Amino acid sequence: MNNVFVICEIDEGKVADVSLELLTKGRSLADRLNCKLEAVALGHDLKGMEKELFQYGADVVHVGDDKRLSPYTTLPHTAVITGLFSEEKPQIALLGATTFGRDLGPRVSSALQSGLTADCTSLEIGDHEDKKAGKTYKDLLYQIRPAFGGNIVATIINPDCRPQMATVREGVMKKEIFDKNHKGKLNILDVNKYLKPEDLVVKVVERHMEKSKVNIKNSSIIVSGGYGMGSKENFDMLYELADVIGAEVGASRAAVDAGFAEHDRQIGQTGVTVRPKLYIACGISGQIQHVAGMEDSSMIIAVNNDPNAPINKIADYVITGDVSEIIPKMIKYYKQNTK
Amino acid sequence: MGLKIIVLAKQVPDTRNVGKDAMKADGTVNRAALPAIFNPEDLNALEQALRLKDKYKGTTVTILSMGPGRAADIIREGLYRGADKGYLLTDRAFAGSDTLATSYAISRAILKLEKADIIIAGRQAIDGDTAQVGPQVAEKLGMPQITYAEEIISAEKNKIVVKRRLERGVETVESPLPAVITVNSSAPACRPRNAKLLMKYKHAKTITESQNASEDYINLTADRPFLIIPEMSVNDIDADAKWLGLTGSPTKVKKIENIVFQAKEAKRLTAADDEINDLMKELIANHTIG
């Protein structure tokens, strides 16, 4: 009772990375709160899956293994989770901020009349004093997230309702095996107890999953390179930076024409239009055709050896210098100073 | 037999085009300087509704928006683009609502409108980016939900078929009606205003807006009742006050920190280690990266 729960996402028979990241975070929250960490995994053919969840720190793993729980649909998952939560009364419940977690989380929170904070970038434990009501709350979950298009950072709390629910994007928390030999309790759920016929009305008729497709359009950070990168080898450095800071790689037309990048990464009038939170333009002069596809980015950093490149006019930060010298410095600083 | 469709739309500050004067000297957001716009994904939602209206004769599209009086602007915008009617859900009692209290109020209002077959909303609003109101409205109404929709393929014989866009692919799902659908920005953009409809609805006003209007206007609406945008308040939706506004919101904002916005006067840096490190430190500290 009153433990920390992670609702795991099962993706093609495997636990999604974001769920393992949340178990690592959940483990530290549970230790801080002096309670247990529990994981819930729903799907089909899940035999043996608990092992990995134990290794990532779960003390209890609840498994619902049933044909009706795969592929994922909202209603049966909601029914099992709300049923389980009504019995177990978690104090905290975490989900990945994926299409899965952002579909299931709000449905569960509404059914339980409990608060949910989306896309948290940090989770901490702390107290809260409600001066008006003269009440003090101990050990609440501080759910910290950017809001207002990233212009403010808010700390959200759920003083009175349980569970305190939050979603977190993939890559925000660090994934770390807690103990390879850690063993916990396996609880096989009787799914029939929770499912009603009306939970089974939505059907997935077709699924087309692709192996990681370039998705610059929906990426909140884009590292983009132009002809000024000089060579394919230099351009490939951008993938390393993107990988480290959780970004996608884009390219100008000149870079695509020069063979530095594939066509589906092209940003600009003849490519895709993007408006990420952060756009790092490397070796891009800033032809109007390119600018048209990225000028609505919330923040633009231009890295270029030409102090008068047109891109500098719309940039928030202009770094004048050698790209192949600057990018590794960014990577190095980020690696040393996060997580 | 046509469909009855309700489109949920929100007026939001345009957080994507934050200009120089968008931040006050003390570093706080100057909301007055941000233009108020039709939430972008709600326009994608409206387009899906209008396509169903084109396809199935007799279909009506009703916009429901919750917000202050000026949110009537987006209802008019929806009428110019092809919606048939719009309701503004507005009351001070809703102030401070989080997503759950908002969803409660909206679901109560929906129950007061003509029984809907499909409720369509944008996936999320750009001022909060939570994507929670759609699913929570669905739960409150006891309807199935289909989120991340890219295309409504058909809505016939009490069954809706929808293509969803997921992280790594697409999925087609089938649900009985009534259902709640939330639409992604990857769906087709909304059609522009229609000149005839613009003429027709140019003078559409809420009761509050028309209170200061001249007698001529009152006479005009007597002939043209479609010019009235009905308002709904707490008293019109049979809501329990304890689930509304701040009291009905389980989440509370404990603290707000402003990210001091850099005006478009570019900061100039060199490749020196300390300058790059300072920039990275700032980006990490204000959650731009990491």
Side-chain angles (χ1 to χ4, degrees):
Chain A
M1 294 287 253
N2 297 324
N3 290 327
V4 175
F5 274 65
V6 173
I7 303 174
C8 297
E9 176 171 356
I10 312 297
D11 189 14
E12 283 163 7
K14 275 185 61 191
V15 183
D17 276 348
V18 66
S19 306
L20 300 176
E21 293 161 14
L22 288 176
L23 283 171
T24 300
K25 182 69 197 180
R27 183 69 257 170
S28 72
L29 294 175
D31 288 344
R32 165 74 176 76
L33 293 165
N34 216 354
C35 69
K36 283 186 172 155
L37 175 65
E38 308 198 17
V40 189
L42 306 181
H44 189 43
D45 286 335
L46 302 181
K47 217 165 182 293
M49 184 155 290
E50 67 278 6
K51 248 180 255 153
E52 188 177 22
L53 303 177
F54 289 140
Q55 287 181 346
Y56 278 88
D59 299 309
V60 181
V61 173
H62 304 269
V63 172
D65 195 331
D66 192 293
K67 265 208 300 248
R68 294 167 293 177
L69 295 171
S70 178
Y72 166 80
T73 51
T74 319
L75 301 178
H77 268 70
T78 305
V80 176
I81 303 270
T82 51
L84 178 68
F85 280 9
S86 307
E87 296 157 18
E88 297 290 334
K89 310 218 176 320
Q91 58 170 312
I92 291 172
L94 308 176
L95 301 94
T98 55
T99 53
F100 163 87
R102 294 172 109 237
D103 183 80
L104 178 62
R107 186 94 191 184
V108 170
S109 90
S110 177
L112 297 172
Q113 272 298 326
S114 134
L116 167 65
T117 305
D119 299 352
C120 296
T121 50
S122 173
L123 297 170
E124 292 163 18
I125 301 295
D127 298 339
H128 174 64
E129 203 189 333
D130 185 344
K131 289 192 179 112
K132 242 197 252 164
K135 266 169 105 173
T136 306
Y137 297 86
K138 279 257 171 258
D139 293 340
L140 291 180
L141 181 67
Y142 285 4
Q143 302 146 49
I144 300 158
R145 76 176 304 252
F148 216 70
N151 295 302
I152 59 174
V153 174
T155 301
I156 312 287
I157 48 170
N158 308 347
D160 297 306
C161 300
R162 295 291 175 275
Q164 307 165 76
M165 292 181 68
T167 65
V168 179
R169 281 183 201 236
E170 185 177 348
V172 170
M173 301 293 173
K174 188 179 172 186
K175 174 179 100 171
E176 203 168 48
I177 291 187
F178 168 66
D179 176 356
K180 264 200 144 56
N181 303 313
H182 181 245
K183 292 263 173 331
K185 194 181 135 218
L186 174 65
N187 176 32
I188 304 287
L189 299 170
D190 175 11
V191 172
N192 285 319
K193 193 168 92 180
Y194 306 109
L195 290 186
K196 296 187 290 306
E198 59 265 35
D199 295 324
L200 304 166
V201 293
V202 176
K203 295 201 165 48
V204 175
V205 290
E206 205 186 338
R207 289 193 109 209
H208 268 297
M209 292 300 139
E210 294 140 18
K211 286 261 173 282
S212 63
K213 202 178 139 257
V214 183
N215 188 8
I216 37 178
K217 204 172 169 177
N218 292 319
S219 183
S220 65
I221 307 175
I222 294 173
V223 178
S224 197
Y227 191 67
M229 291 306 294
S231 67
K232 179 131 188 2
E233 290 65 45
N234 273 348
F235 194 95
D236 287 348
M237 216 157 49
L238 302 181
Y239 290 98
E240 199 188 336
L241 175 62
D243 193 41
V244 169
I245 63 172
E248 269 290 356
V249 173
S252 71
R253 180 168 184 170
V256 172
D257 287 349
F260 298 170
E262 314 88 288
H263 182 261
D264 51 1
R265 297 191 184 276
Q266 188 176 318
I267 291 168
Q269 228 162 33
T270 48
V272 272
T273 298
V274 296
R275 37 173 72 87
K277 207 167 69 176
L278 174 64
Y279 191 93
I280 306 179
C282 306
I284 292 179
S285 63
Q287 297 295 322
I288 182 71
Q289 289 84 348
H290 183 74
V291 169
M294 47 67 75
E295 62 188 337
D296 286 343
S297 306
S298 306
M299 184 189 281
I300 297 166
I301 299 177
V303 184
N304 207 305
N305 55 14
D306 175 6
N308 300 314
I311 188 103
N312 295 351
K313 287 206 191 84
I314 59 157
D316 300 277
Y317 292 90
V318 171
I319 310 176
T320 306
D322 183 356
V323 179
S324 58
E325 187 188 324
I326 293 164
I327 302 294
K329 284 183 185 174
M330 293 174 123
I331 296 171
K332 188 173 157 211
Y333 183 88
Y334 189 83
K335 278 190 176 163
Q336 283 171 351
N337 291 282
T338 49
K339 288 173 187 167
Chain B
M1 260 299 281
L3 299 157
K4 301 268 174 269
I5 303 175
I6 295 176
V7 174
L8 303 180
K10 185 181 187 185
Q11 190 183 46
V12 292
D14 190 356
T15 53
R16 297 169 314 178
N17 293 313
V18 178
K20 262 185 195 159
D21 51 352
M23 302 305 282
K24 296 183 200 156
D26 60 357
T28 61
V29 180
N30 180 10
R31 284 172 194 248
L34 290 172
I37 58 165
F38 203 119
N39 179 51
E41 285 184 330
D42 296 345
L43 279 172
N44 297 105
L46 176 61
E47 176 60 24
Q48 288 298 312
L50 295 174
R51 286 179 181 210
L52 291 176
K53 184 181 162 182
D54 293 342
K55 193 166 167 185
Y56 301 113
K57 225 176 160 213
T59 294
T60 59
V61 175
T62 301
I63 292 186
L64 174 62
S65 183
M66 175 167 144
R70 63 173 183 275
D73 283 345
I74 66 162
I75 293 178
R76 275 185 287 273
E77 188 63 47
L79 293 169
Y80 300 157
R81 294 178 193 234
D84 299 282
K85 206 171 168 86
Y87 289 86
L88 179 63
L89 179 58
T90 184
D91 201 305
R92 278 181 184 278
F94 301 139
S97 292
D98 70 358
T99 64
L100 202 63
T102 301
S103 305
Y104 173 70
I106 290 175
S107 65
R108 298 310 301 177
I110 287 171
L111 292 174
K112 287 289 159 188
L113 301 178
E114 196 177 359
K115 202 172 168 302
D117 300 300
I118 312 174
I119 294 154
I120 313 181
R123 174 188 57 137
Q124 63 188 32
I126 57 170
D127 56 346
D129 293 327
T130 71
Q132 286 170 197
V133 170
Q136 290 177 334
V137 165
E139 196 281 333
K140 299 261 172 275
L141 294 170
M143 291 181 191
Q145 71 193 42
I146 301 175
T147 55
Y148 292 88
E150 189 166 77
E151 184 190 356
I152 298 177
I153 296 167
S154 66
E156 288 161 18
K157 301 193 182 101
N158 221 29
K159 197 175 79 181
I160 190 163
V161 182
V162 177
K163 189 171 102 185
R164 304 178 72 209
R165 168 66 56 183
L166 307 176
E167 285 93 349
R168 292 189 297 108
V170 290
E171 179 180 274
T172 306
V173 295
E174 205 177 272
S175 165
L177 294 176
V180 175
I181 316 292
T182 72
V183 181
N184 268 349
S185 58
S186 61
C190 192
R191 63 196 63 187
R193 297 170 174 187
N194 174 300
K196 272 191 192 150
L197 293 173
L198 178 60
M199 292 309 288
K200 179 175 174 185
Y201 289 113
K202 200 163 61 175
H203 297 292
K205 285 187 167 73
T206 61
I207 322 275
T208 311
E209 285 173 325
S210 60
Q211 267 164 1
N212 303 322
S214 67
E215 206 136 299
D216 291 350
Y217 182 77
I218 313 266
N219 291 335
L220 184 74
T221 53
D223 290 346
R224 300 174 194 174
F226 56 82
L227 290 181
I228 297 168
I229 298 173
E231 284 167 307
M232 299 169 100
S233 73
V234 165
N235 299 328
D236 299 317
I237 60 170
D238 283 339
D240 186 335
K242 78 167 187 248
W243 300 119
L244 294 173
L246 268 181
T247 32
S249 299
T251 60
K252 315 278 177 205
V253 177
K254 179 170 170 61
K255 194 170 77 181
I256 295 268
E257 284 165 280
N258 289 288
I259 290 172
V260 178
F261 188 80
Q262 304 297 327
K264 278 277 171 186
E265 199 58 52
K267 245 191 192 169
R268 297 252 169 191
L269 312 174
T270 70
D273 281 6
D274 54 339
E275 293 194 40
I276 302 293
N277 290 349
D278 283 350
L279 172 64
M280 291 301 282
K281 191 176 168 188
E282 192 180 325
L283 294 177
I284 293 166
N286 65 24
H287 298 271
T288 302
I289 57 176

